[in-house]
């Protein structure tokens, strides 16, 4: 086990609703990255948080937003859900901003109907 | 063109077989490369890093060819437990942005 936890495990929402996903990083890790994995695809980078600030963003619209807290846990918020947002959402923590060893949590499977 | 491209497979092989996966990447400035393994409906797990000199971990060997922007993973003596999706991954930029290929699925049968 990586020590990275995510909640909830599964979630079903309807189009137009808002959702918040949560991630607790591995102890001592100050960097959290979020990825979206659609069925049959590799994970796609959403954004990264380092010491409570966004440190990089992938090609996702502004309705995808996030937070990192002083204890380095993080939230991913998605507004105005669309059917294509149905995916596995993964968070990964790492010891430092530029280190490459990222440890993934088990993910949250979001279904939008 | 996708930044990281892999043969999607599936590769169906018998136990004991040797199987090779290939991957190409488009950004010649990429510096770090990895193979991750992902079991069905689970999170990706780091299998091994890939170095220019090549590296080996037991039955697994990874190679990098920077001139061709090509990465490979060789699995010898395949086990049933090797059945999974193998993701080719490139580290991009000055922060921890991992760029994943779509993955190659491997099924090892008795």
């Amino acid at each position: 086990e990586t020590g990275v936890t995510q909640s909830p495990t599964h979630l079903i929402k309807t189009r137009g609703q808002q959702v918040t996903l949560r991630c607790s990083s591995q102890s001592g890790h100050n960097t959290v990255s979020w990825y979206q994995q659609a069925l049959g695809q590799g994970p796609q980078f959403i954004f990264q948080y380092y010491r409570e600030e966004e440190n990089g963003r992938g090609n996702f619209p502004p309705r995808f937003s996030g937070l990192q807290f002083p204890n380095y846990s993080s939230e991913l918020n998605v507004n105005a859900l669309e059917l294509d947002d149905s995916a596995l959402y993964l968070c990964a923590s790492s010891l430092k901003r530029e280190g490459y060893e990222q440890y993934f949590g088990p993910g949250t499977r979001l279904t939008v109907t | 063109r996708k930044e990281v491209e892999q043969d999607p497979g599936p590769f169906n092989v018998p136990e004991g077989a040797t199987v090779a996966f290939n991957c190409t990447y488009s950004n010649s400035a990429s510096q770090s490369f990895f193979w991750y393994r992902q079991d069905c409906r689970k999170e990706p797990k780091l299998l091994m890093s890939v170095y220019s000199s090549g590296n080996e971990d037991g039955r697994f060997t990874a190679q990098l060819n920077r001139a061709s922007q090509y990465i490979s993973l060789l699995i010898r003596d395949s086990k049933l437990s090797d059945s999974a999706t193998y993701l080719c991954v490139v580290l991009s930029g000055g922060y921890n942005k991992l760029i994943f290929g779509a993955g190659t699925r491997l099924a090892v049968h008795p």
Side-chain angles (χ1 to χ4, degrees):
Chain A
E1 298 298 326
T2 63
V4 181
T5 61
Q6 291 186 244
S7 63
T9 304
H10 297 88
L11 202 53
I12 299 174
K13 290 284 190 178
T14 56
R15 194 168 48 182
Q17 286 188 314
Q18 177 266 340
V19 68
T20 297
L21 310 181
R22 295 177 175 83
C23 171
S24 291
S25 59
Q26 186 168 335
S27 177
H29 284 189
N30 59 20
T31 303
V32 173
S33 302
W34 286 90
Y35 294 82
Q36 179 197 65
Q37 187 174 22
L39 199 61
Q41 300 297 317
Q44 300 291 313
F45 177 77
I46 303 174
F47 43 55
Q48 179 186 95
Y49 278 84
Y50 170 70
R51 294 186 174 179
E52 303 179 57
E53 292 192 1
E54 188 177 291
N55 185 48
R57 189 178 183 91
N59 190 25
F60 281 82
R63 59 189 186 84
F64 285 78
S65 63
L67 283 173
Q68 187 178 33
F69 300 100
N71 66 355
Y72 303 134
S73 65
S74 178
E75 286 183 355
L76 165 65
N77 298 290
V78 187
N79 294 321
L81 283 167
E82 301 177 0
L83 296 179
D84 284 349
D85 295 334
S86 295
L88 179 68
Y89 288 84
L90 296 157
C91 80
S93 75
S94 54
L95 184 59
K96 54 184 180 178
R97 181 173 51 183
E98 296 180 0
Y100 62 79
E101 292 188 359
Q102 296 193 29
Y103 299 88
F104 283 85
T108 293
R109 191 163 297 279
L110 172 65
T111 301
V112 182
T113 61
Chain B
R1 181 185 174 189
K2 291 183 179 179
E3 292 187 75
V4 179
E5 298 207 55
Q6 297 181 247
D7 181 341
F11 284 58
N12 293 300
V13 302
E15 281 185 285
T18 296
V19 61
F21 303 140
N22 304 317
C23 166
T24 58
Y25 61 95
S26 61
N27 185 352
S28 60
S30 300
Q31 292 298 314
S32 299
F33 310 89
F34 316 94
W35 286 99
Y36 275 72
R37 170 195 168 126
Q38 187 171 28
D39 293 299
C40 187
R41 304 182 76 82
K42 299 285 190 180
E43 73 272 23
K45 293 184 178 178
L46 179 64
L47 180 65
M48 60 196 306
S49 302
V50 188
Y51 305 115
S52 296
S53 55
N55 49 303
E56 186 174 313
D57 183 2
R59 298 181 293 107
F60 299 83
T61 301
Q63 295 278 354
L64 167 65
N65 184 320
R66 288 187 183 273
S68 302
Q69 295 178 208
Y70 170 92
I71 307 163
S72 66
L73 176 68
L74 184 75
I75 305 176
R76 292 181 299 278
D77 189 22
S78 298
K79 311 292 185 189
L80 295 176
S81 58
D82 294 334
S83 297
T85 295
Y86 290 83
L87 297 159
C88 177
V89 186
V90 174
L91 185 69
S92 171
Y95 54 93
N96 268 2
K97 177 182 178 181
L98 296 179
I99 302 174
F100 287 79
T104 299
R105 192 155 61 89
L106 172 65
V108 182
H109 57 82

